[in-house]
Amino acid sequence: MAERTSSAAAGVSTADSPDAIRNVALVGPSGAGKTTLVEALLVAAGVLPRMGSVTEGSTVCDFDDAEIAQQRSVSLALAPLEHNGIKVNLIDTPGYADFIGELRAGLRAADCAMFVIAANENVDEPTKALWLECARVGMPRAVVITKLDHARANYTNALAGAQQAFGDKVAPLYFPAAEGVVGLLTRTHYEYADGKRSTHAPAEGYADEFVELRGSLIEGIIEESEDETLMERYLGGEEIDQEVLIGDLEKAVARGSFFPVIPVCAGTGIGTCELLEVATRGFPSPPEHQLPEVFTPQGAPRRPLPCDPDGPLLAEVVKTTSDPYVGRVSLVRVFSGTIRPDATVHVSGHFSAFTERHTHADSGPTAGHADHDEDERLGTLSFPLGKQQRPAPAVVAGDICAIGRLSRAETGDALSDKADPLLLRPWTMPDPLLPVAVQPRAKTDEDKLSVGLARLAAEDPTLRIEQNPETHQIVLWCMGEAHAGVVLDALTRRYGVSVDTVELRTPLRETFGGKAKGHGRHVKQSGGHGQYAVCDIEVEPLPEGSGFEFVDKVVGGAVPRQFIGSVEKGIRAQMERGLGADAGYPVVDIRVTLYDGKAHSVDSSDFAFQMAGGLALREAAAATTVNLLEPVDEITVLIPDDLVGSVMSDLSSRRARVVGTDKADEDRTLVRAEIPQVELARYAIDLRSLSHGAGSFTRSFVRYEPMPDAAAARVRRAV
């Protein structure tokens, strides 16, 4: 990882070998300067002539004008460059918590990461969460401290904060000094002036700092070395050869056990060449990074595949974008084989063997796309750079490309040889927990809304579309307010759909509060055959979850046998419609006993007894109390220990019952509670605010429970 001048090439060629590729995700909090850093690295590599050289004020990483307008990156973007004969695919990931699905997709496509923090900001809880996301997948990382030229920049504090938050394996490889950086291993000062880099020995003023930092770095490298004699030799006063230290450092970084720190100033270019050296020499190539598990489309495991251009084809769609004019474009990571334009491949994905189907209360499935397993012909291959597309004749294992006209594949799908279909175990996607109810602004928008939502769901696995059959609402399950805003903006801007957000309705139930009798009489006579049916029923409540029971106690043929089922059918239909005009929620957990009635030899019919059964149920409801039942979810809230009291107090204000707490890890607690669904509508937003981004929760439906009288009265008044 020795620092030396870049031999940048203006432009990026197709890689011929996986060993000559580095797939690097830029990870860090929103506002840390990831996108600006990508642009600075492209300038350093000669891909761009200068900073800000892309027209219309957008950065090279912007796929979407909405991202510029909102001043935040919300989606993956790919920027390839070449340095010292190595192709580096920079994958810019979002730092905002709402777009963690895009982050995980970026980590899936990458083999290593640059973890970016700003010198003018503290390491907060959301930043720690991003670090843990990388740790969970074993991602090798280097820490990049940016914004050295900011008025409030403090490199020393930023470094200390990173070491405290991420552990003692975080150590500086360089430190900033006088318009440049000093390399601790090479004892060289790299100075940047007028767009050029020069080298000389460090000034005497840095001697004490240099000695202290260099000693800590060498000790950290030696601790990670496979040569057990190095530490003894070093402590004995032996000067360890620089190339030995660099070799051990590169191995430690590649296996993800050591995290070098590089200070970079994107505006002046300071540290960019050094960072490219770390990326090309210290980061692992695709063959060194373990391939995800491989299966057949039916879920049977297959042997691991090597990252070999001559091996079986296996690639994965890590991002999907669509445009009304360009059509669908898929960002694809090739794990094995070589992909070529106009080839026919097999598309596999979204299979129930790997995708859990979620059901929210009784409203139906709210997760997953339709299974598919089909062949498709590829369109053109290209290497994207922002909105530019550079044609690619072929793409080998380990590389990333964009594919046009891949109309059936969605994010997370696998592409393989049609004669030997394969599937990768999908990466874990977080559950969207913020429901947003929408409706088209005009009748003419209904069809366009359906098309737009289907396309957005194909692009974004963290977006779930629910057509609630009870409330008749279209509900978008999003990761948070920012995610919802991006979805709604895309509907309007890309698909021309005007929608309004409306209050979310909770699917309630009704049940009887006590025993009651009902008399149903449906008699009409108006020329020809009339309608005649009379039935008497008794209704009593059953325990929660019992459902519906129908008991026939008619004697003497008061209700003919052929019409007993008609009465039951009419009662069931009335239960679906509800018991009154003021509410009209489905009725559950009752036993209905038919004990008497009357019939007419000519005018009685199936329809007449259905009507009489429904009328009898309504009369019985009028004679007793009807209780509203609300759905209750079980939630688990993961929070730092010092916020347990605040979170439990907030839950109590939401009518929750805390059922237990468990120690999750060293400084986190898991709070388990049961809470009415109506109280969870904005909990994803409120918990994030309460915990400053440090809390998370999961939810699952448990049962229906009686709603308190005051809350039930408010519901009935609102109808």
Side-chain angles (χ1 to χ4, degrees):
M1 204 177 292
E3 306 89 341
R4 55 179 182 266
T5 305
S6 164
S7 57
V12 180
S13 60
T14 302
D16 297 323
S17 167
D19 293 320
I21 299 171
R22 303 291 184 271
N23 296 309
V24 184
L26 279 83
V27 181
S30 181
K34 299 185 297 294
T35 302
T36 306
L37 176 60
V38 170
E39 191 170 1
L41 292 174
L42 291 169
V43 172
V47 177
L48 295 178
R50 63 187 182 281
M51 294 289 289
S53 59
V54 181
T55 59
E56 299 180 350
S58 66
T59 70
V60 295
C61 297
D62 288 322
F63 272 101
D64 202 318
D65 292 336
E67 296 176 29
I68 306 166
Q70 296 161 351
Q71 293 297 304
R72 61 174 176 260
S73 176
V74 301
S75 62
L76 286 182
L78 182 68
L81 60 84
E82 190 173 324
H83 178 81
N84 287 343
I86 301 294
K87 181 181 181 182
V88 181
N89 289 315
L90 299 174
I91 306 166
D92 190 10
T93 69
Y96 198 66
D98 279 14
F99 307 104
I100 193 171
E102 296 273 344
L103 166 65
R104 291 182 180 180
L107 293 177
R108 177 64 159 231
D111 302 302
C112 42
M114 296 177 183
F115 198 90
V116 183
I117 59 176
N120 62 314
E121 299 288 348
N122 295 322
V123 178
D124 56 13
E125 289 295 334
T127 304
K128 295 177 185 177
L130 293 173
W131 182 266
L132 289 175
E133 285 288 332
C134 296
R136 287 189 188 103
V137 295
M139 185 64 66
R141 280 149 282 167
V143 177
V144 184
I145 299 180
T146 61
K147 297 190 176 181
L148 300 178
D149 55 349
H150 194 278
R152 294 189 293 106
N154 189 319
Y155 171 79
T156 302
N157 286 350
L159 174 61
Q163 290 174 325
Q164 182 179 2
F166 309 144
D168 57 3
K169 297 302 181 182
V170 173
L173 186 58
Y174 302 84
F175 70 91
E179 303 302 324
V181 294
V182 172
L184 293 172
L185 289 184
T186 57
R187 301 184 178 92
T188 304
H189 186 174
Y190 301 90
E191 193 169 30
Y192 289 75
D194 301 323
K196 297 181 180 179
R197 187 179 75 157
S198 59
T199 61
H200 52 81
E204 289 295 327
Y206 299 116
D208 292 342
E209 182 178 9
F210 177 84
V211 170
E212 179 182 355
L213 292 176
R214 190 173 194 271
S216 297
L217 173 64
I218 291 176
E219 289 178 10
I221 294 173
I222 290 176
E223 286 177 359
E224 296 296 321
S225 176
E226 297 174 356
D227 186 347
E228 297 179 357
T229 68
L230 272 187
M231 182 61 76
E232 183 179 349
R233 289 157 51 193
Y234 175 71
L235 294 177
E238 180 180 337
E239 180 75 17
I240 306 300
D241 184 74
Q242 175 181 304
E243 290 303 318
V244 172
L245 292 173
I246 290 173
D248 284 338
L249 173 61
E250 291 172 354
K251 292 175 183 177
V253 172
R255 66 173 175 260
S257 60
F258 195 80
F259 313 105
V261 180
I262 304 94
V264 175
C265 181
T268 60
I270 290 174
T272 52
C273 291
E274 289 69 38
L275 186 54
L276 288 174
E277 285 294 318
V278 172
T280 54
R281 296 196 61 191
F283 282 156
S285 63
E288 298 175 83
H289 195 228
Q290 186 176 2
L291 187 73
E293 293 178 89
V294 182
F295 299 84
T296 67
Q298 292 73 35
R302 292 284 299 269
R303 61 177 177 80
L305 294 178
C307 184
D308 181 2
D310 298 322
L313 176 62
L314 182 57
E316 188 173 39
V317 179
V318 294
K319 179 175 175 59
T320 309
T321 59
S322 59
D323 184 274
Y325 305 103
V326 178
R328 183 177 292 187
V329 177
S330 303
L331 193 65
V332 173
R333 162 72 191 260
V334 183
F335 287 100
S336 175
T338 300
I339 201 165
R340 293 179 172 82
D342 298 321
T344 300
V345 299
H346 189 81
V347 179
S348 305
H350 294 103
F351 278 80
S352 56
F354 300 110
T355 305
E356 181 181 356
R357 304 295 184 177
H358 298 274
T359 300
H360 203 62
D362 292 337
S363 60
T366 62
H369 302 281
D371 298 345
H372 52 264
D373 188 15
E374 53 201 336
D375 294 340
E376 184 169 7
R377 187 175 180 182
L378 300 179
T380 57
L381 308 183
S382 60
F383 297 124
L385 183 64
K387 296 179 180 179
Q388 304 173 25
Q389 302 289 330
R390 303 183 179 189
V395 180
V396 300
D399 210 347
I400 303 173
C401 69
I403 302 178
R405 301 202 312 271
L406 199 58
S407 59
R408 293 181 178 88
E410 301 176 1
T411 301
D413 287 347
L415 311 179
S416 56
D417 193 305
K418 62 180 182 179
D420 185 21
L422 298 172
L423 186 66
L424 290 163
R425 181 181 292 278
W427 64 90
T428 303
M429 280 295 181
D431 284 330
L433 296 170
L434 177 66
V436 179
V438 298
Q439 64 183 23
R441 191 166 297 170
K443 272 283 187 182
T444 54
D445 288 321
E446 290 182 357
D447 291 340
K448 290 191 294 183
L449 176 60
S450 177
V451 172
L453 288 177
R455 290 180 178 174
L456 289 175
E459 298 173 17
D460 183 0
T462 62
L463 172 66
R464 291 179 186 158
I465 314 299
E466 176 189 349
Q467 300 268 0
N468 194 298
E470 292 185 22
T471 64
H472 307 292
Q473 286 187 313
I474 300 172
V475 182
L476 313 181
W477 287 87
C478 304
M479 297 298 299
E481 281 187 304
H483 186 206
V486 168
V487 171
L488 295 176
D489 178 73
L491 283 173
T492 302
R493 185 174 41 81
R494 288 163 54 186
Y495 300 108
V497 183
S498 297
V499 297
D500 295 314
T501 57
V502 295
E503 184 178 356
L504 180 72
R505 295 196 291 269
T506 303
L508 304 178
R509 299 283 188 272
E510 294 177 313
T511 194
F512 278 61
K515 282 187 178 183
K517 290 185 177 182
H519 176 73
R521 184 175 186 273
H522 182 73
V523 178
K524 289 187 178 181
Q525 187 69 46
S526 57
H529 283 299
Q531 298 178 32
Y532 188 96
V534 177
C535 64
D536 293 289
I537 63 172
E538 183 179 62
V539 184
E540 57 186 312
L542 294 175
E544 186 269 329
S546 299
F548 171 63
E549 292 182 18
F550 182 80
V551 180
D552 172 21
K553 287 191 176 180
V554 175
V555 295
V559 177
R561 305 309 304 168
Q562 68 267 30
F563 296 134
I564 298 294
S566 302
V567 175
E568 180 181 356
K569 187 175 180 182
I571 290 172
R572 287 183 179 273
Q574 188 64 53
M575 289 175 63
E576 287 296 318
R577 292 192 297 268
L579 296 174
D582 63 333
Y585 300 108
V587 181
V588 296
D589 300 334
I590 60 172
R591 177 187 292 123
V592 175
T593 301
L594 174 65
Y595 63 88
D596 201 1
K598 293 181 181 179
H600 189 278
S601 59
V602 175
D603 292 341
S604 290
S605 64
D606 171 69
F607 173 76
F609 272 99
Q610 285 188 46
M611 296 297 293
L615 291 170
L617 185 67
R618 291 179 62 179
E619 184 176 291
T624 188
T625 303
V626 174
N627 295 330
L628 278 182
L629 303 177
E630 60 182 345
V632 174
D633 281 5
E634 181 181 51
I635 65 170
T636 57
V637 188
L638 181 64
I639 45 170
D641 291 342
D642 58 350
L643 293 175
V644 171
S646 299
V647 168
M648 292 178 69
S649 176
D650 177 70
L651 288 172
S652 296
S653 71
R654 298 172 185 268
R655 299 191 286 126
R657 293 188 300 273
V658 176
V659 297
T661 60
D662 298 298
K663 194 68 177 174
D665 50 40
E666 184 177 345
D667 59 353
R668 287 180 176 265
T669 297
L670 198 66
V671 178
R672 292 178 287 108
E674 293 180 351
I675 181 171
Q677 278 187 16
V678 69
E679 301 288 348
L680 287 174
R682 288 181 54 84
Y683 193 62
I685 300 169
D686 296 339
L687 177 62
R688 184 175 296 169
S689 175
L690 178 66
S691 65
H692 308 290
S696 62
F697 77 104
T698 62
R699 61 186 288 182
S700 59
F701 172 72
V702 179
R703 61 182 171 273
Y704 276 87
E705 288 185 355
M707 180 178 281
D709 293 341
R714 287 195 299 270
V715 170
R716 289 192 166 100
R717 284 196 301 268
V719 174

